[in-house]
Amino acid sequence: MHDYIKERTIKIAEHLLDSRNTVRAIAKEFGVSKSTVHKDLTERLPDINPALAKEVKEVLDYHKSIRHLRGGEATKKKYREKSGV
């Protein structure tokens, strides 16, 4: 694995723990795809830093547990902005 990928993975993981942002928000901030962020956090991070990976997994599991509550928020916001309400 290239050094820049390791560095990005660690930075993304630390940012996730600090901000508690979603994968989508973090992907936007780092200028990479959601798939890249998810792969970094779930596949690459355990090989690089298992302790950090465990903490990140807890946050990702929490996000997964509440995703049904947020479902449709992005769509609702999109149509609100379009209609000017």
Side-chain angles (χ1 to χ4, degrees):
M1 185 181 324
H2 294 286
D3 288 339
Y4 76 92
I5 294 175
K6 288 181 184 178
E7 290 173 18
R8 181 189 66 214
T9 301
I10 297 292
K11 285 179 184 175
I12 288 173
E14 290 172 347
H15 183 72
L16 174 74
L17 293 176
D18 290 341
S19 68
R20 303 280 188 200
N21 281 344
T22 61
V23 169
R24 183 178 297 223
I26 290 172
K28 199 173 209 179
E29 292 171 21
F30 279 82
V32 294
S33 71
K34 294 181 301 183
S35 300
T36 300
V37 171
H38 192 265
K39 184 170 183 132
D40 282 352
L41 296 177
T42 59
E43 295 178 23
R44 294 180 178 130
L45 188 59
D47 294 336
I48 298 169
N49 187 335
L52 186 60
K54 186 176 178 184
E55 292 180 54
V56 165
K57 184 173 177 4
E58 291 174 10
V59 174
L60 293 177
D61 287 345
Y62 170 72
H63 285 167
K64 189 173 183 179
S65 73
I66 64 166
R67 72 180 173 190
H68 68 283
L69 300 173
R70 281 195 297 223
E73 272 186 28
T75 304
K76 187 189 288 185
K77 181 181 176 187
K78 178 175 124 179
Y79 286 107
R80 258 196 214 136
E81 289 173 0
K82 270 188 178 179
S83 67
V85 174

